[in-house]
């Protein structure tokens, strides 16, 4: 039997075979991207979708008269860098711990994933209770051990609001670092540690000279992914502080949401989203350069 | 250089005894091979020497002083691992220099030592490469270089040749022997390969079931195996065994007298090495049940009323499976073992001549 596509030459068959992939990628990645860029060139009223072409007007406003972009970018960068750093430190430390022969190790390995599994809404509700200024556990404990004299309004004042968001973010997302790093740790041959011990390396040297280089690649990917996700993080910040007090914890995604559904300015929201993307792209390129420079 | 002494060394993992009371004294400068089948405890023993495992009981002494509580990095030993355990992100030069760096040796001295080790091991051209860019044999040499560079008093080698192909293995065997001769340090070598043990060592310790079965020179271990385990483990093809009986000064096999013996009456296990079996016109009749041409010779499996033995025949041997042959063995070359304990039994054996018997094989 002759195959149905037999009469097609390689020239026609090739494009036909990659067509499904092109179609899917075009629909789910390229179209929304270009649509967002296009949308940012219009002033759009969200409920009626009536639009007026404004060119780079939205961007001019965003960078100038609007006045929210730069402070929000600052908050977003602080939040991303701080929560990411905490996630990495806690995640790597926890992975190292769980890689050892611990009592009840498998139970501990399952439990450590809990924050990652639990829904953000539920997690935030619990943390809001912990941080509650009237009957929160955080204040109770800190007062009992004498760190603070009077209850603190954790989420209502600065800098404790931003600090709280950063801590909750680290708690919520560090299990991702644990999973990735632990998986890599388990593949490091024990003989490398034995060799290092015989070569006279102490515990810190073994971590720096054996563990760290081995998990470096995985950490690179984890940092990249988590940086992107933290930069875009919306629900955790929105639910925990709503961007407040006033606008002290207002990150860029919160403005996108506010513009699109609060102020009904879909074009401006798109401009913010595109500006976020360009910022991330810039950091991504810097990161690639830094990583390439090291290897 | 350092001598090694083990006193009632014992290692238990959970409820399993891996090393069960080993006593051993190795002279300084020896090339000791720990030989035994997989899982016999030889690697655990080596790891205890290295300090990577703590003994459950007993003592390890280097040069007369107990080192049980000295951490691996301070025992002045170097180890070559079966997997080489090279640091993958470091270059060859950095790998070799690492133990010196950890000991705070200044840069200039370090570089000179690395250059010297690299020259000895012909690694000079590879110093800037990373382990993954090297062949197995080259990685092996880097691992040796890392051990050599700091001139330890004892070298520990854990099956370092097992990942190499046959040609390279025999080459590296000679290299290691030459290296041992040149630097004269004590080396402890773990292997399950008896050929490596026989060709490289000055001393062999045969270990099985966590116990020392025999300690001696390769020749002693081969010629006078201390028990049936050692006899069957050493030598290719393995020693053949048959159930014999001593009765009124004669060693009987399958009821037929084989030799005169100075031993009390009772059952005995008789061991016969392939090279001691001679194909002859007279003697024990046996059927050729299998033939293995190994190139320079042919190994014959002979089955008859005495049981099964292996014999060596020339490569151009014209026999075929199924043929009937006769074989003989000189009584002095027989090995005798206690059938219950497996321990060697020493007894004077002599041929039965026409003057005292007519049915000698």
């Amino acid at each position: 039997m002759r195959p149905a596509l037999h009469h097609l030459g390689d020239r026609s068959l090739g494009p036909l075979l990659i067509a499904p992939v092109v179609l899917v990628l075009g629909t789910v990645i390229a179209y929304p991207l270009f649509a967002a860029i296009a949308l940012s060139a219009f002033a759009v009223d969200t409920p009626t979708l009536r639009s007026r072409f404004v060119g780079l007007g939205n961007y001019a406003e965003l960078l100038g008269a609007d006045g929210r972009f730069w402070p929000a970018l600052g908050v977003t960068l602080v939040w991303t860098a701080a929560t990411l750093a905490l996630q990495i430190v806690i995640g790597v430390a926890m992975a190292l711990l769980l890689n050892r022969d611990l009592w009840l190790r498998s139970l501990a390995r399952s439990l450590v994933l809990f924050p990652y599994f639990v829904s953000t809404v539920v997690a935030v509700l619990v943390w809001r209770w912990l941080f509650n200024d009237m009957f929160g556990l955080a204040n109770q404990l800190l007062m009992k051990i004498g760190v603070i004299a009077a209850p603190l309004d954790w989420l209502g004042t600065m800098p404790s609001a931003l600090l709280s968001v950063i801590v909750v973010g680290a708690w919520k997302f560090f299990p991702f670092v644990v999973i990735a790093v632990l998986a890599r740790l388990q593949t490091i041959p024990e003989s490398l540690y034995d060799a290092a011990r015989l070569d006279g390396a102490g515990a810190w040297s073994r971590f720096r000279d054996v563990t760290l280089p081995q998990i470096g690649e995985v950490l690179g990917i984890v940092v990249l992914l988590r940086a992107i996700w933290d930069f875009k993080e919306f629900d955790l910040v929105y639910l925990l502080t709503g961007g407040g007090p006033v606008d002290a914890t207002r990150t860029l995604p919160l403005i996108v949401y506010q513009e699109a559904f609060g102020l009904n300015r879909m074009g401006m929201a798109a401009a913010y989203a595109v500006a976020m993307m360009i910022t991330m792209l810039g950091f991504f390129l810097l990161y690639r350069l830094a990583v390439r420079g090291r290897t | 250089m350092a001598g090694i002494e083990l006193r009632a060394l014992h290692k238990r993992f959970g409820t399993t005894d891996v090393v069960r009371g080993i006593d051993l004294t190795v002279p300084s400068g020896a090339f000791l091979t720990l030989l035994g089948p997989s899982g016999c405890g030889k690697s655990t023993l080596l790891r205890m020497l290295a300090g990577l495992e703590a003994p459950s009981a007993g003592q390890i002494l280097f040069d007369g002083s107990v080192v049980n509580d000295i951490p691996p990095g301070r025992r002045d030993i170097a180890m070559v691992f079966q997997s080489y355990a090279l640091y993958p992100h470091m270059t060859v030069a950095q790998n070799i220099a690492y133990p010196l760096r950890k000991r705070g040796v200044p840069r200039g001295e370090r570089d000179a030592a690395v250059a010297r080790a690299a020259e000895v091991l012909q690694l000079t051209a590879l110093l800037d490469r990373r382990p993954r860019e090297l062949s197995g044999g080259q990685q092996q040499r880097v691992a040796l270089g890392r051990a050599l560079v700091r001139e330890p008093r004892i070298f520990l080698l854990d099956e370092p040749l097992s990942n190499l192909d046959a040609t390279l293995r025999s080459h590296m065997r000679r290299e290691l022997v030459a290296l041992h001769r040149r630097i004269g340090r004590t080396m402890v070598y773990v292997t399950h390969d008896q050929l490596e043990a026989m060709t490289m060592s000055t001393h062999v310790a045969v270990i099985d079931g966590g116990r020392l079965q025999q300690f001696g020179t390769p020749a002693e271990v081969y010629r006078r195996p201390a028990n049936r385990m050692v006899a069957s483990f050493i030598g290719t093809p393995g020693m053949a065994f048959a159930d014999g009986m001593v009765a009124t000064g004669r060693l009987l096999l399958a009821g037929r007298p084989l030799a005169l013996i100075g031993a009390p009456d009772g059952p005995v296990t008789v061991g016969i090495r392939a090279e001691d079996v001679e194909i002859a016109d007279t003697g024990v009749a046996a059927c050729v049940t299998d033939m293995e041409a190994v190139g320079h010779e042919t190994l014959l499996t002979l089955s008859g009323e005495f049981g099964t033995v292996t014999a060596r025949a020339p490569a151009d041997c014209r026999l075929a499976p199924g043929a009937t042959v006769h074989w003989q063995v000189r009584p002095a070359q027989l090995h005798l073992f206690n059938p219950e304990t497996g321990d060697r039994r020493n007894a004077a054996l002599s041929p039965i001549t026409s003057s005292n018997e007519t049915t000698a094989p």
Side-chain angles (χ1 to χ4, degrees):
Chain A
M1 201 176 77
R2 282 159 68 91
L5 298 174
H6 191 77
H7 61 279
L8 285 173
D10 282 354
R11 263 167 194 278
S12 341
L13 188 60
L16 203 66
L17 289 176
I18 61 165
V21 177
V22 172
L23 197 72
V24 170
L25 289 184
T27 319
V28 302
I29 294 180
Y31 171 73
L33 181 68
F34 287 111
I37 294 171
L39 198 60
S40 70
F42 289 86
V44 186
D45 180 48
T46 309
T48 59
L49 288 181
R50 261 206 306 246
S51 62
R52 177 170 53 85
F53 182 75
V54 292
L56 294 175
N58 283 332
Y59 292 98
E61 190 189 335
L62 178 154
L63 294 172
D66 182 84
R68 288 173 302 168
F69 179 76
W70 296 110
L73 178 63
V75 172
T76 311
L77 289 179
V78 169
W79 139 259
T80 303
T83 197
L84 180 62
L86 267 182
Q87 286 166 31
I88 296 291
V89 170
I90 300 173
V92 170
M94 194 60 91
L96 288 171
L97 199 66
L98 291 178
N99 193 39
R100 303 181 70 121
D101 265 331
L102 283 178
W103 190 61
L104 292 178
R105 179 165 70 170
S106 29
L107 181 69
R109 281 185 181 175
S110 316
L111 280 180
V112 89
L113 300 180
F114 173 73
Y116 203 62
F117 289 151
V118 79
S119 130
T120 307
V121 180
V122 176
V124 166
L125 278 176
V126 172
W127 278 98
R128 284 180 69 122
W129 272 106
L130 288 175
F131 284 139
N132 189 290
D133 50 347
M134 310 273 282
F135 16 74
L137 206 62
N139 278 334
Q140 281 282 327
L141 278 175
L142 290 175
M143 275 163 61
K144 199 165 255 178
I145 58 172
V147 176
I148 51 174
L152 254 173
D153 183 8
W154 287 97
L155 300 172
T157 53
M158 278 297 277
S160 61
L162 187 56
L163 200 70
S164 304
V165 176
I166 287 167
V167 167
V168 176
W171 172 84
K172 181 86 180 72
F173 300 118
F174 86 92
F176 179 81
V177 183
V178 176
I179 298 170
V181 172
L182 187 57
R184 183 68 183 89
L185 281 177
Q186 285 168 350
T187 66
I188 303 178
E190 200 53 41
S191 60
L192 283 183
Y193 292 103
D194 289 343
R197 283 171 71 189
L198 280 156
D199 286 341
W204 168 245
S205 280
R206 290 200 295 276
F207 175 72
R208 202 192 48 199
D209 298 333
V210 179
T211 311
L212 212 51
Q214 293 274 317
I215 63 172
E217 221 162 279
V218 162
L219 270 186
I221 293 166
V222 167
V223 166
L224 184 70
L225 287 176
R226 283 270 22 123
I228 293 171
W229 294 339
D230 290 339
F231 193 86
K232 297 190 309 180
E233 183 59 32
F234 170 76
D235 45 5
L236 190 131
V237 185
Y238 182 77
L239 292 167
L240 208 53
T241 64
V246 191
D247 55 3
T249 59
R250 188 166 65 190
T251 56
L252 288 170
L254 263 62
I255 299 183
V256 176
Y257 174 79
Q258 191 183 25
E259 282 293 331
F261 305 108
L263 302 173
N264 287 334
R265 301 201 303 172
M266 196 55 101
M268 194 59 180
Y272 264 100
V274 172
M276 274 178 66
M277 191 189 71
I278 291 168
T279 313
M280 273 196 277
L281 210 61
F283 278 107
F284 174 68
L285 290 176
L286 277 177
Y287 176 83
R288 283 290 299 272
L289 276 177
V291 168
R292 193 173 299 170
R294 264 192 321 147
T295 48
Chain B
M1 281 203 277
I4 300 172
E5 193 183 337
L6 308 182
R7 288 182 189 158
L9 201 62
H10 203 104
K11 180 67 189 180
R12 171 180 292 151
F13 290 113
T15 54
T16 316
D17 292 300
V18 182
V19 173
R20 307 161 183 236
I22 288 189
D23 290 284
L24 190 63
T25 305
V26 188
S28 179
F31 193 124
L32 166 72
T33 297
L34 303 176
L35 178 67
S38 299
C40 71
K42 56 190 189 300
S43 285
T44 305
L45 187 56
L46 192 78
R47 289 176 63 81
M48 285 195 280
L49 287 177
L52 297 171
E53 300 285 354
S56 307
Q59 286 181 321
I60 301 170
L61 294 87
F62 291 167
D63 274 340
S65 36
V66 178
V67 295
N68 283 38
D69 296 327
I70 299 179
R74 288 204 222 117
R75 288 194 181 188
D76 198 11
I77 46 171
M79 183 158 165
V80 176
F81 293 82
Q82 185 173 7
S83 60
Y84 315 137
L86 300 177
Y87 308 117
H89 59 288
M90 295 186 198
T91 63
V92 169
Q94 289 167 334
N95 261 288
I96 298 178
Y98 188 75
L100 298 181
R101 214 177 82 201
K102 288 295 118 186
R103 280 170 176 73
V105 175
R107 183 80 195 245
E109 247 174 83
R110 224 157 62 198
D111 291 348
V114 169
R116 267 200 311 277
E119 191 162 338
V120 170
L121 296 162
Q122 295 163 26
L123 288 168
T124 309
L126 307 174
L127 284 176
D128 292 328
R129 301 238 190 121
R130 279 174 212 281
R132 63 167 180 275
E133 299 164 332
L134 303 176
S135 70
Q138 289 166 337
Q139 290 188 24
Q140 161 75 70
R141 295 214 301 273
V142 177
L144 265 176
R146 191 172 61 184
L148 265 182
V149 73
R150 56 174 218 253
E151 302 176 4
R153 51 180 179 170
I154 296 171
F155 283 86
L156 306 175
L157 303 108
D158 188 7
E159 310 212 19
L161 306 185
S162 58
N163 292 335
L164 304 180
D165 63 52
T167 322
L168 198 55
R169 201 151 60 217
S170 103
H171 173 74
M172 285 308 293
R173 252 188 348 241
R174 285 193 299 275
E175 294 272 301
L176 274 175
V177 171
L179 185 70
H180 175 247
R181 240 179 248 138
R182 196 161 58 232
I183 60 177
R185 302 289 161 105
T186 310
M187 290 193 176
V188 182
Y189 188 100
V190 160
T191 186
H192 61 265
D193 183 336
Q194 45 152 317
L195 186 68
E196 286 177 9
M198 302 304 281
T199 52
M200 299 167 74
S201 346
T202 60
H203 296 75
V204 178
V206 184
I207 296 168
D208 191 39
R211 289 201 173 86
L212 181 65
Q213 304 292 329
Q214 187 171 6
F215 176 66
T217 65
E220 280 166 4
V221 170
Y222 185 82
R223 292 201 193 120
R224 296 181 58 79
N227 56 41
R228 205 178 146 158
M229 180 269 147
V230 177
S232 61
F233 193 71
I234 309 267
T236 316
M239 186 182 280
F241 297 99
D243 294 326
M245 183 67 79
V246 176
T248 57
R250 285 184 171 75
L251 174 62
L252 308 173
L253 268 188
R256 289 180 51 173
L258 190 69
L260 296 176
I261 186 167
D265 290 1
V268 70
T269 300
V270 179
I272 306 169
R273 285 215 190 275
E275 60 266 38
D276 298 331
V277 175
E278 256 177 82
I279 306 292
D281 297 331
T282 59
V284 184
C287 176
V288 179
T289 52
D290 194 18
M291 295 180 67
E292 239 183 318
V294 291
H296 63 290
E297 64 180 2
T298 302
L299 299 175
L300 305 177
T301 305
L302 308 175
S303 299
E305 53 179 330
F306 282 8
T308 301
V309 297
T310 310
R312 295 179 175 224
D316 58 358
C317 165
R318 288 180 180 277
L319 290 168
T324 301
V325 294
H326 292 83
W327 60 267
Q328 295 182 340
V329 57
R330 275 185 289 161
Q333 288 164 331
L334 294 172
H335 301 265
L336 301 179
F337 303 98
N338 183 322
E340 273 156 32
T341 62
D343 288 342
R344 182 178 188 86
R345 276 181 65 176
N346 293 312
L349 287 153
S350 57
I352 300 171
T353 58
S354 50
S355 63
N356 51 43
E357 191 72 56
T358 50
T359 51

